[in-house]
Amino acid sequence: MDFESVKSFLEKSSSGVSSKDIDSMPFRFFEPMIMSGLKVDLIERGRVLCSMKVPPRLLNVGNSLHGGATAALVDVVGSSVIMTMDSVTTTGVSVEINVSYLDAAFVGDEIEIEAKALRVGKAVAVVSVEFRKKKTGKIIAQGRHTKYLAVSSKL
């Protein structure tokens, strides 16, 4: 095993960007970076449908939509569908997120992201999020997100 190459891979700076540059980025820049360009096409009780063109900033080293960006979109879009349900006042905190990556999307591809509330109870919500190529309907990824909804104290 070559531990030094693993260490080098993990410690390298991305594209020559220094840690000083990264540390100077605006507070809470991550979600806007992921969500910029996201368009809401439909909102109804228990369902949110969005679309976006895959931007270059969200590509991985293989020049396709990065798995981390996909997982972040499962989190954000999945959380939004919880708010479409009756008497829900919070999106809660993540308990579990899983994503199955089934195909690739490349820069400029228009994708649909559909979130559905599978169950929204008093303490737990479970949603599914599906990514499709808008042109063909081919599934790119499927995610499931479980969230704990803070229960009001009865004291």
Side-chain angles (χ1 to χ4, degrees), residues 9 11 20 23 27 40-41 62 66-67 71 75 84 87 90 98 106 118 121 128 136 148 155:
F9 171 76
E11 291 181 349
K20 182 180 176 186
D23 291 340
F27 184 61
V40 177
D41 297 322
H66 195 287
D75 184 5
T84 69
S87 70
T90 179
N98 77 50
F106 300 95
L118 301 178
S128 69
T136 64
Y148 170 71
L155 295 177

Side-chain angles (χ1 to χ4, degrees), residues 38-58:
L38 189 66
K39 180 179 175 266
V40 177
D41 297 322
L42 175 80
I43 298 177
E44 58 189 27
R45 186 178 185 279
R47 183 172 173 236
V48 173
L49 182 64
C50 299
S51 60
M52 73 183 302
K53 284 191 178 185
V54 176
R57 71 178 178 280
L58 298 183

